[in-house]
Amino acid sequence: MIFGAFEKQDLDLNFDVTVRSGVASLVARSHDSLRVDSEATESSVDLPPGSRTELDSTGGSKQKRKRSITPRKPDIEGSIASDKLAMKMEEDSSDAGVLLQQMNEEHPKKRVKQESDAIAEGFKVKKEEDRDDAFLISVSTWDRKEGKLKKEDKEESGEDPMMDVELEDEDLTSGMEVDADDIDAWMRWTTLAHGGVLFPPPYEPLPSAVKMLYNGQPVDLPPESEEVAGFYAALIYSDVVQDHIFPTNFFEDWLGVLQKYPPRDDTKIDNFDLCDFRPMFEHFESEKAAKKAMSADEKKEMKTAKEYLEAPYAICILDGMKEKVGNFRVEPPGLFRGRGNHPKKGKLKLRVRPEDITINIGEDSPIPVPNIPGQWKKVIHDHTVTWLASWVENINGHNKYVFLAPGSSLKGQSDMNKFEKARELKSHIDTIRKGYEADLDSKVTADRMRATAMYFIDKLSLRAGNEKGEDEADTVGCCSLRCQHLTLETPNIILFDFLGQDSIRYFNRVQVSSQIYGNIRIFKENKVDEDLLFDHITTSGLNRYLGTYMAGLTVKVFRTYNASIIFQGLLSERNLDGRSVEEKVNTYNAANRDIAILFNHRRSVPGQADSHEVALGTSKMNYLDPRITVAWCKASDVPLEKIFSKSLIDKFSWAMSVDEEWQF
DNA sequence: TCGAAGACTTGGAAGAATTTTG
DNA sequence: CAAAATTCTTCCAAGTCTTCGA
């Protein structure tokens, strides 16, 4: 009895695309076992009952819940005081070496690793050295942050005069009694030095021979409007432009720019159909070709120059440790590429200036100087957040942040916390399942809806499904499912068909109990297609309910939990004795694939419109506890590099030391 | 109490780099 | 060897969930 089968033809609308190594179907027979059938490999595996709830004795340290108390935040906002301005780093000295030196002078007790030779030369650091170093750093920082080391932690931070100031400040200004322990819990760093963000180079006007045509005639555009025209010109043959919304939004915004910066030859542009961007497109193409045709040496030289330019921004010093920064390059202007049917796609994403950017940095660290003219919007010293810089993008008004790289200790710490929380769910899952099963026939509609939603979240790993606005793509998750997204088929089959995150289609035919089936029929009664299926529940209500079972439990934890526990079960079922490394890797990938299919992780196949294949990377990156993989590799003698790329090994450095017995 | 703002994780596309194939 | 295929990295959009503020 097949439950929730992905059928080949369901994976895309018009094309017969082969899902190459297996179409898996999730088979749920009872709440105690989930089965993943891999049709193509003709193998089916069952998790032994109980394996999902097996308790683990190695349980990690209980992490203190971040912000479990809600005292008023200390006033952390700073200003660009004139004396600080004087301390600004000089353009060519704002590199890691200088940052390190400063940190050493100001915090002599925070032993900053002296690597003057390597770091002073920044970009010249050899890759291998760099990696070893990063590994050492993240391990030691991680130790420091372990809950049991908190005492030491406190003593250490006590050495920093700024911490004392913050604490006193808090005690004075808030009526609430907050002990130093609590403050400590939501401080994410003590000292932080960094080089700010790297702005893209200013726009360079096209050669005068390259002009767009309007009504067949070349138009002399000023650089400001030429730049925006160029954004569109680069896309004229691409798929993103082949609908109505994109060009319409582009044209509207471009007309706005043209009003301010009209053609110098007084051409009046008001009809999009008369615009011919092909000369610009061809120019870009030939530039691309020229770049491609460069000799290997030239390419290498350019790369080195780029790394040299970026070196001061690529790392920061957090609590005395060198850490990689993630997205230090400011997003260049362009046309907004919303996914799916986004009503704002094609709109102009403006160039970000220093005046748009808030810098978050340690009080004692030199304030970086922007690499283009201008002053930062403001400089703050917020120890409770992990971002180095932020700005508001103009399309949706959302905040954007510069964070540390995935391999940093800060990110590694959160990542480990995430998986530890998922492991904690193991000891509550039975109670939770009993709870929602009992509520499936509740007389209270809200409870019955919540129970039914929980069933989908638990069994199908659906996302929570927060409410979305009119000015966003119409996508849904569990709580935002509408009647039109579920079709009932006899006997007891539910057909799910909706667009999830990134407008990826979720199509699944699922056999359910008559209780679930009946519930859905009731929830759909007297409603139209556009009505909410679960109109008596919300994501925040659902999360509040989950929180009563386990502190910090939310819907998303179920995804992490399900992915990791099922994956581990799949791996442990295969006896790999005497198999070649290649066969073992194939087994691993098959299990990974089953998870990716359950989670509906897909990517489009280049060239073939609307056709998708299973993507393994997302689950590996976000949902599968890396310690499962490390332990499996050790136990089965498979080099980790066969499974994790360099950047994943870096990201998961916190997980490398588990032994082969380790269990999720 | 509730909508908006804020902070962080999750996600696919595109481009770059590397490996395989012919 | 080149080009095709595959894998990895970068980019930045789109989620989740918490906190803020009226």
Side-chain angles (χ1 to χ4, degrees), chain A residues 372-661:
Chain A
I372 61 171
Q375 301 287 317
W376 305 119
K377 182 180 178 186
K378 56 182 173 175
V379 176
I380 66 166
H381 314 287
D382 188 344
H383 294 244
T384 70
V385 295
T386 66
W387 52 266
L388 312 187
S390 75
W391 71 96
V392 178
E393 54 79 14
N394 67 295
I395 302 290
N396 299 296
H398 292 155
N399 286 355
K400 296 260 185 167
Y401 301 91
V402 173
F403 291 114
L404 298 193
S408 64
S409 62
L410 218 47
K411 291 286 189 193
Q413 176 70 25
S414 323
D415 210 30
M416 192 185 72
N417 289 165
K418 174 183 78 184
F419 288 111
E420 284 306 302
K421 191 189 275 181
R423 293 175 80 214
E424 200 187 335
L425 176 52
K426 282 191 304 178
S427 51
H428 300 277
I429 191 75
D430 284 351
T431 319
I432 292 169
R433 285 180 178 148
K434 283 199 183 78
Y436 75 66
E437 278 164 29
D439 280 345
L440 283 173
D441 61 354
S442 170
K443 297 281 177 284
V444 182
T445 305
D447 290 357
R448 191 185 286 221
M449 282 185 178
R450 188 183 61 205
T452 311
M454 273 312 301
Y455 177 90
F456 292 155
I457 285 160
D458 187 22
K459 296 303 165 202
L460 303 175
S461 290
L462 298 189
R463 296 185 186 86
N466 286 309
E467 234 179 302
K468 291 191 74 180
E470 286 292 307
D471 51 359
E472 298 173 275
D474 177 19
T475 62
V476 301
C478 187
C479 293
S480 50
L481 283 168
R482 300 193 297 268
C483 292
Q484 66 201 91
H485 298 130
L486 275 75
T487 309
L488 296 173
E489 295 176 2
T490 45
N492 291 355
I493 289 170
I494 300 177
L495 182 65
F496 290 81
D497 190 356
F498 60 89
L499 298 183
Q501 175 166 353
D502 294 308
S503 294
I504 297 289
R505 185 184 183 197
Y506 183 95
F507 187 98
N508 200 4
R509 187 177 268 110
V510 181
Q511 174 118 37
V512 297
S513 66
S514 49
Q515 179 70 58
I516 295 286
Y517 188 85
N519 282 357
I520 298 302
R521 191 170 50 208
I522 293 168
F523 300 155
K524 288 183 77 157
E525 264 168 20
N526 302 317
K527 287 184 188 166
V528 296
D529 281 354
E530 290 72 27
D531 289 338
L532 279 176
L533 181 72
F534 298 125
D535 55 336
H536 284 60
I537 62 171
T538 63
T539 52
S540 55
L542 191 50
N543 283 336
R544 219 168 22 246
Y545 165 81
L546 289 173
T548 64
Y549 285 98
M550 180 189 124
L553 183 60
T554 60
V555 171
K556 113 193 226 292
V557 180
F558 279 79
R559 280 170 74 80
T560 315
Y561 166 78
N562 271 330
S564 290
I565 199 105
I566 296 172
F567 181 65
Q568 176 173 277
L570 290 171
L571 281 184
S572 65
E573 275 177 354
R574 304 292 184 84
N575 181 4
L576 296 171
D577 291 348
R579 300 302 178 109
S580 70
V581 167
E582 196 192 339
E583 286 171 313
K584 291 173 183 173
V585 170
N586 287 342
T587 299
Y588 181 98
N589 288 339
N592 190 167
R593 175 171 298 273
D594 285 342
I595 302 300
I597 289 170
L598 172 63
F599 277 50
N600 203 38
H601 288 147
R602 323 230 235 116
R603 61 157 180 252
S604 55
V605 176
Q608 295 178 281
D610 289 338
S611 127
H612 292 80
E613 64 185 24
V614 177
L616 307 188
T618 306
S619 48
K620 196 186 269 189
M621 169 91 93
N622 299 303
Y623 290 110
L624 304 175
D625 191 322
R627 291 169 295 187
I628 298 170
T629 299
V630 172
W632 180 85
C633 280
K634 286 177 179 173
S636 34
D637 255 332
V638 173
L640 194 60
E641 298 75 46
K642 298 272 181 200
I643 307 287
F644 284 162
S645 66
K646 239 161 63 171
S647 62
L648 279 185
I649 289 179
D650 188 34
K651 172 180 157 86
F652 295 140
S653 62
W654 58 270
M656 295 301 150
S657 57
V658 294
D659 63 44
E660 61 176 78
E661 305 294 329

